[in-house]
Amino acid sequence: TCGYESVLIAESLLISPPVLVTGAPPYRVRFTSTLELDDNPFSLIGVRIERAAGAPAEEILGSTADFTADGQPETVEFAISPTWGGEQIQLVFEFETFLPTGPALGWRVDDVSLVATDS
C-alpha cells in the first residue's frame, strides 16, 4: 500500500520491486486505485510496465482516461502483452500535476496483483 500527493509541477513515481512474470498468458495486472483531483485538466496519471534490467522496454497500460477521479476506490485491470513471459518487470505508477493541490489530493494504489494462467 502506497499513497502520495503531488505538489506544484511535481512528478511522483511509485515503482514496484522486480517481479518475474511466470505462468502462461493471458497476463493481467489488477489493482485498487483511489484518485482525487481538483478537476483541472493539468493532472496526468499513467501506469506502465518496464523491463527491470537489460535492454529498455516498456508497455503503457493506462492513463488519466482509464480512472475515475472521484476519491472512491475502484478496481481496475489491464491486459499485458504475452511477450513479458519470463521477464523481470517493474510496474510504474506516475502522477504529475501542473497546479498546486491540497493534502487530500493524489493517487493511492493498493492490492496490486499480476494474474497469469497456471502452467
Side-chain angles (χ1 to χ4, degrees):
T1 299
C2 295
Y4 58 90
E5 66 185 67
S6 189
V7 296
L8 178 62
I9 313 177
E11 179 183 54
S12 300
L13 296 176
L14 292 175
I15 303 174
S16 75
V19 176
L20 177 63
V21 180
T22 60
Y27 303 124
R28 303 189 70 77
V29 172
R30 180 186 305 138
F31 57 90
T32 300
S33 171
T34 306
L35 178 65
E36 288 184 82
L37 299 179
D38 51 7
D39 295 323
N40 74 72
F42 303 105
S43 295
L44 305 173
I45 66 170
V47 184
R48 67 181 182 270
I49 294 173
E50 292 182 350
R51 184 175 285 142
E58 72 173 21
E59 177 179 357
I60 305 299
L61 296 183
S63 64
T64 305
D66 295 300
F67 300 91
T68 305
D70 61 0
Q72 299 300 311
E74 60 183 332
T75 298
V76 292
E77 190 169 311
F78 296 104
I80 66 173
S81 171
T83 60
W84 292 105
E87 293 270 3
Q88 287 270 353
I89 65 167
Q90 292 178 298
L91 293 168
V92 179
F93 301 89
E94 178 180 15
F95 185 104
E96 185 171 2
T97 188
F98 300 98
L99 294 177
T101 61
L105 300 176
W107 190 22
R108 288 164 295 286
V109 176
D110 294 302
D111 303 323
V112 179
S113 58
L114 179 62
V115 183
T117 304
D118 289 337
S119 53

